[in-house]
Amino acid sequence: MKKLRLLYLPVESVEGDQRARRKIFADMLSEGRLEALEIFSYRIFGREHGWDAMAEKVYEIAKDFGADAIYWHGLWTGHLNEKIMARIRDLPSKPAICNENGDPFGNFWVVPYPKCLLSLIKYTDVCFNSGLGRVAEYLKRHGARHVYLLPHGYDEVSFGEPIKTERDYQNDLVMIANQWKSRRPFASAPGAKERPKLIAALQEEFGDKFALYGKGWEKFQCGRGPIDFFKQVEAYNASKVAIGIPQFSDIEYYDSNRPFNTIAMGIPYVSGYSPKFDEILKDGVHCHYFKTPNQAVDKVKWLLSMPEQQRLEMALSAAEYVRKHHTQRSRMEILLSTLEGIWAYKHYNSPFPEEIKTFIAQ
């Protein structure tokens, strides 16, 4: 298989924000997994110079670099010039083009799909998405030819420190989440609607042994205020059990990177249920799912009732599984292998690559 010349377009507000993917691709280059690598932080450029200039810049870089593959990461702001996108697609190097979107969307009223994203998917060979179901159906109706599942994963670059097996517990339960607020009246994501009900039930049951971090929870006594993203490890290591609920629990296979990052730290994770996500992390083995606040309370109480050594062994086994099978590196391997297959399809008339599903639990 040909080694690719990869143009990576990270979605960043500050140069270097995507530290995991940047390091992973740099490692792939040094290992000889890639022939060449070019990185262009398109959103920063677009905000400073304009979105048409951004698209033209992507075209010039792809042409001069001789990109075999273009990985467009996210696209949520500004607009995308489709005439320039057509020129990018039709470059003489016939690049394999993909986009990856890790965020969920609702409908025209609740977090609508960005117009720029809908422009992009018409010109990509495959859309990698963190959820399927209604999302995949919507993207296909708007011009996407192939929508492949690529769940979030464990960020081993940011949270790669060894697991602590000896801990000074300060809390029985911890939750890290912000209160979701929309500018539109009565608009709310399904999971966001359930969070206050869940928190109220947990506060009533676990009192001051429940630590809630994040913005917007001032009315709850368990609220501890916002926490720095990279300080999460400390909060998890000080707690016996962690809990969370996805914002859009109506999307098949969808959840954020929080379950993976949390489980990888060696703490049992209780999660709101999204359809089919238990095919990725098995219930009662890697994760513990609930559909109602009462079920959440029961799952947490069950975990807390275990002898500490038994609970820790279960958590360490799940952490080992996530660190082996659900790393960000493994996700980028799927993406890169698919791009290699698309390149062969375009240049040698090979079969179009099928969806890779090594993240499904066996």
Side-chain angles (χ1 to χ4, degrees):
M1 186 68 71
K2 172 183 166 53
K3 295 179 182 179
L4 297 179
R5 300 179 63 83
L6 177 67
L7 171 57
Y8 169 44
L9 306 172
V11 55
E12 297 178 322
S13 295
V14 177
E15 191 88 24
D17 272 356
Q18 295 294 340
R19 51 196 290 185
R21 287 171 177 80
R22 281 175 173 267
K23 183 180 187 307
I24 288 164
F25 288 136
D27 289 346
M28 287 179 169
L29 181 63
S30 65
E31 295 162 8
R33 180 76 175 82
L34 290 170
E35 179 183 318
L37 173 66
E38 184 75 22
I39 300 176
F40 174 55
S41 193
Y42 70 91
R43 184 160 71 168
I44 296 173
F45 186 94
R47 286 175 170 173
E48 183 175 351
H49 300 283
W51 300 106
D52 285 347
M54 177 275 292
E56 187 67 35
K57 184 70 172 179
V58 171
Y59 170 78
E60 293 294 338
I61 292 173
K63 177 172 63 72
D64 295 343
F65 176 60
D68 298 314
I70 301 173
Y71 164 28
W72 205 309
H73 184 200
L75 188 62
W76 309 304
T77 55
H79 73 271
L80 189 63
N81 188 311
E82 293 194 29
K83 291 182 179 179
I84 300 175
M85 277 304 306
R87 289 163 53 202
I88 294 171
R89 179 196 59 196
D90 297 334
L91 280 165
S93 62
K94 294 190 286 188
I97 305 175
C98 76
N99 74 288
E100 182 205 350
N101 171 51
D103 276 4
F105 296 101
N107 52 36
F108 73 98
W109 190 251
V110 182
V111 194
Y113 290 80
K115 291 181 180 179
C116 52
L117 176 62
L118 298 180
S119 293
L120 174 63
I121 62 174
K122 301 173 189 175
Y123 299 91
T124 58
D125 298 295
V126 64
C127 302
F128 289 105
N129 211 77
S130 57
L132 294 182
R134 66 168 177 80
V135 174
E137 294 165 5
Y138 186 91
L139 294 177
K140 287 178 180 178
R141 287 199 303 270
H142 285 76
R145 291 181 288 279
H146 300 274
V147 182
Y148 288 175
L149 178 64
L150 192 69
H152 288 282
Y154 158 54
D155 181 352
E156 70 273 32
V157 175
S158 301
F159 303 106
E161 60 267 33
I163 299 169
K164 284 189 176 181
T165 53
E166 295 184 5
R167 304 178 186 182
D168 179 19
Y169 294 120
Q170 300 172 25
N171 309 298
D172 285 344
L173 180 65
V174 64
M175 180 175 180
I176 300 178
N178 294 322
Q179 186 173 33
W180 192 87
K181 293 182 179 180
S182 174
R183 296 177 181 177
R184 302 182 178 188
F186 310 112
S188 183
K193 289 180 181 178
E194 298 302 316
R195 278 184 178 175
K197 301 175 189 176
L198 172 65
I199 290 167
L202 296 173
Q203 179 176 267
E204 181 178 358
E205 181 66 35
F206 301 105
D208 60 5
K209 290 295 184 179
F210 172 40
L212 172 65
Y213 294 95
K215 299 177 182 178
W217 306 117
E218 291 80 8
K219 72 175 185 178
F220 290 98
Q221 293 180 356
C222 56
R224 308 282 179 91
I227 187 170
D228 183 88
F229 181 77
F230 298 104
K231 297 290 185 181
Q232 295 180 64
V233 179
E234 299 173 11
Y236 288 128
N237 283 336
S239 305
K240 296 177 181 178
V241 177
I243 192 168
I245 183 171
Q247 296 278 36
F248 283 86
S249 52
D250 63 330
I251 298 175
E252 291 181 2
Y253 295 105
Y254 175 74
D255 210 323
S256 68
N257 61 1
R258 192 174 301 282
F260 301 102
N261 287 337
T262 307
I263 294 167
M265 295 174 197
I267 180 172
Y269 190 74
V270 179
S271 177
Y273 179 74
S274 291
K276 299 186 179 181
F277 193 76
D278 55 349
E279 295 178 18
I280 299 170
L281 296 174
K282 289 292 187 182
D283 187 27
V285 179
H286 312 124
C287 197
H288 310 277
Y289 299 102
F290 66 87
K291 294 182 179 179
T292 68
N294 286 340
Q295 288 180 358
V297 169
D298 289 343
K299 286 287 179 83
V300 174
K301 289 173 68 176
W302 170 67
L303 287 166
L304 292 173
S305 71
M306 286 182 179
E308 183 173 338
Q309 187 60 32
Q310 180 184 352
R311 186 177 63 248
L312 181 59
E313 287 175 0
M314 177 189 288
L316 292 178
S317 176
E320 182 181 358
Y321 178 81
V322 166
R323 286 178 177 235
K324 183 177 181 181
H325 296 282
H326 292 289
T327 60
Q328 193 63 55
R329 169 77 187 232
S330 70
R331 301 297 194 253
M332 293 301 100
E333 286 285 358
I334 291 172
L335 185 144
L336 188 59
S337 295
T338 305
L339 286 173
E340 288 171 339
I342 295 170
W343 188 90
Y345 166 80
K346 288 188 169 186
H347 289 261
Y348 298 127
N349 202 29
S350 299
F352 195 90
E354 295 184 358
E355 189 173 8
I356 299 171
K357 296 183 178 180
T358 51
F359 46 76
I360 297 295
Q362 302 298 319

